């Protein structure tokens, strides 16, 4: 039983193309909780499933696994209820690095090294997340300044301005991400780093999305026909001209400090500085490896955060009652803290947190989550599910997030559902930055998104100021639907919205 395959010996390229343009429909069909369900061709291709009468699901999708033909690899889609079991497996049994590198075509995009090390993941969790109180004022200042440059200025109540929210938001977050990666001193000395991380990220995704449609046997040759491949290679080389000398400088400085028995912590809480200081192997302190790891963090964060913020703004624009509740909450907090916003003030905003969760639930960054590669054979669900060595496993995000057994009226946006009186305690115990096995915004287990604390802080810095300071309206009154390519959902860069300064803004400045 294989979803997205019409007959046993269908060429994988057809599965690739269907998945590229109709992944949501394919997964939805596979996940339908009915007694008997056919795996047919998605309706968006306007074909008829003729030869698939013998391919059926005999149980509910959340109750049994099934195979999904993605074209590049067959995935074993596991039911969401086995996630706690998966979380208990050690890295020598189940590993995420290979899956992530494979999905973004590490050999073609220059990120193959992430298969060998999760050093950047450890640093984000153990060094960067605890340093957020120190990073907050620096990141806040850079993001806020960029927001003033890229969102409409002028007096309150001016005419509506037509703009593209995603490019503006990406520019704001690029400032924050560059700060986390390279530190304030390096970014101020080399402002080109901000634009470079953005350009590199764009090229990486262009290459990966296009080449995922190309048969594997010809990818290595065809990729060089893409202008984005050449731009990406130039960006990698240019990034190295900044990072490699800095790593060498810091290694020499560290050697001098060790000679003088100086064991103090780095003064700059950025990723490069901590990776150089904590590196114990040649791989972990190799300048070229650290360049790649910094680029991979930028690729995995910039657009994902920006997409989420734009989707949240779109949802709030479509639901003015939720927007009004959040604005009331922000105004009350602003008064309570006397306008002195710090990292602690971003916590406990129940309405905002609820709306963020709801956007993440219904419009996630990817529709398949918890992607891993089995390093050994093992069994799940009391021996009922066998996973074999080398198998790629994943979980359907929508199947879990729209499960009526978990969420009432699950497919309907209810921005304040999580902060309802009967749910408020659980909501506060699991803020947006927390790993939640029902929503799966950040994945789950030991390899859940390591940058979620940074992402949560950066998203709130921008959302709070945009919600307070601006009004948003859809062009022609038509809500914006998320775009999709392969398993990724996104707010299209060309989407436009009408924006203007608010007349009754509180004037929140973080």
């Amino acid at each position: 039983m294989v979803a997205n395959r019409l007959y046993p010996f269908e060429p994988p390229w057809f599965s690739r193309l269907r998945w590229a343009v109709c992944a949501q429909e394919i997964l939805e069909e596979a996940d339908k909780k009915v007694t008997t369900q056919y795996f047919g061709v998605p309706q968006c291709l306007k074909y008829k499933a003729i030869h698939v009468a013998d391919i059926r699901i005999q149980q509910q999708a959340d109750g049994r696994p099934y195979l999904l033909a993605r074209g590049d690899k067959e995935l074993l889609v596991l039911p969401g209820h086995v996630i706690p079991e998966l979380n208990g497996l050690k890295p020598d049994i189940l590993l995420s690095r290979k899956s992530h590198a494979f999905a973004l075509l590490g050999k073609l995009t220059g990120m193959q090294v992430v298969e060998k090390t999760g050093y950047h993941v450890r640093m984000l969790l153990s060094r960067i997340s605890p340093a957020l109180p120190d990073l907050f004022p620096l990141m806040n200042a850079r993001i806020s300044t960029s927001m003033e440059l890229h969102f409409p200025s002028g007096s309150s109540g001016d005419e509506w301005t037509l703009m593209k929210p995603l490019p503006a938001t990406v520019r704001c977050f690029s400032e924050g991400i560059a700060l986390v990666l390279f530190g304030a001193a390096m970014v101020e000395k080399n402002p080109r780093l901000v634009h470079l991380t953005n350009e590199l990220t764009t090229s990486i995704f262009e290459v990966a999305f296009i080449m995922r449609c190309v048969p594997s046997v010809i990818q290595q040759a065809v990729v060089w026909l893409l202008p984005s491949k050449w731009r990406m290679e130039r960006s990698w080389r240019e990034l190295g001209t900044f990072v490699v000398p800095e790593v060498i400088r810091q290694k020499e400085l560290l050697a001098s400090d060790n000679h003088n028995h100086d064991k103090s912590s780095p003064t700059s809480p950025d990723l490069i500085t901590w990776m150089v200081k904590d590196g114990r192997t040649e791989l972990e302190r190799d300048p070229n490896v650290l360049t790649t790891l910094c680029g991979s963090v930028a690729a995995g964060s910039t657009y994902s955060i920006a997409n989420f913020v734009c989707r949240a703004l779109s949802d709030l624009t479509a639901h003015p009652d939720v927007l009004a509740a959040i604005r009331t909450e922000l105004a009350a907090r602003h008064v309570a803290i006397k306008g002195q916003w710090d990292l602690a003030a971003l916590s406990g905003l129940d309405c905002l947190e609820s709306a963020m969760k709801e956007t993440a639930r219904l419009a996630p960054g990817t529709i398949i989550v918890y992607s891993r590669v089995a390093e050994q054979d093992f069994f799940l669900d009391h021996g009922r599910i066998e996973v074999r060595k080398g198998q790629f496993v994943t979980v359907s995000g929508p199947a879990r997030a729209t499960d009526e057994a978990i969420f009432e009226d699950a497919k309907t946006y209810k921005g304040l559902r999580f902060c309802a009186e009967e749910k408020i305690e659980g909501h506060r115990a699991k803020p947006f930055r927390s790993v939640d096995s029902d929503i799966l915004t950040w994945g789950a287990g030991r390899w859940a998104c390591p940058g979620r604390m940074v992402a949560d802080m950066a998203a709130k810095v921008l959302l709070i100021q945009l919600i307070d300071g601006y009004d948003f309206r859809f062009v022609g009154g038509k809500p914006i639907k998320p775009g999709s390519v392969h398993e990724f959902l996104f707010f299209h860069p060309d989407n436009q919205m009408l924006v203007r300064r608010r007349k009754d803004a509180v004037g929140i400045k973080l």
Side-chain angles (χ1 to χ4, degrees), residues 18 155 164 170 176 215 231 268 306 360 391:
R18 283 197 300 270
S155 59
K164 298 177 180 179
V170 166
R231 289 195 299 270
S268 178
Q391 203 159 27

Side-chain angles (χ1 to χ4, degrees), residues 306-382:
N307 269 301
F308 168 75
V309 166
C310 290
R311 281 302 310 160
L313 290 174
S314 178
D315 286 338
L316 293 175
T317 303
H319 300 84
D321 57 325
V322 180
L323 180 59
I326 294 174
R327 282 175 170 165
T328 300
E329 178 180 63
L330 293 179
R333 177 61 58 88
H334 188 69
V335 171
I337 62 174
K338 299 180 180 180
Q340 302 300 309
W341 289 84
D342 55 14
L343 185 60
L346 301 185
S347 301
L349 295 168
D350 296 331
C351 295
L352 177 63
E353 293 264 0
S354 179
M356 292 172 73
K357 286 183 181 180
E358 187 72 344
T359 291
R361 184 181 73 85
L362 291 176
T366 175
I367 57 175
I368 56 174
V369 296
Y370 208 101
S371 297
R372 306 285 192 271
V373 178
E375 298 292 287
Q376 301 179 26
D377 295 345
F378 62 90
F379 289 88
L380 296 167
D381 201 13
H382 306 289

Side-chain angles (χ1 to χ4, degrees), residues 83-102:
I83 287 177
E85 281 188 81
L86 295 171
N87 289 344
L89 299 176
K90 296 181 179 179
D92 61 343
I93 299 177
L94 200 62
L95 193 62
S96 68
R97 295 199 304 265
K98 288 184 179 179
S99 177
H100 297 330
F102 186 85

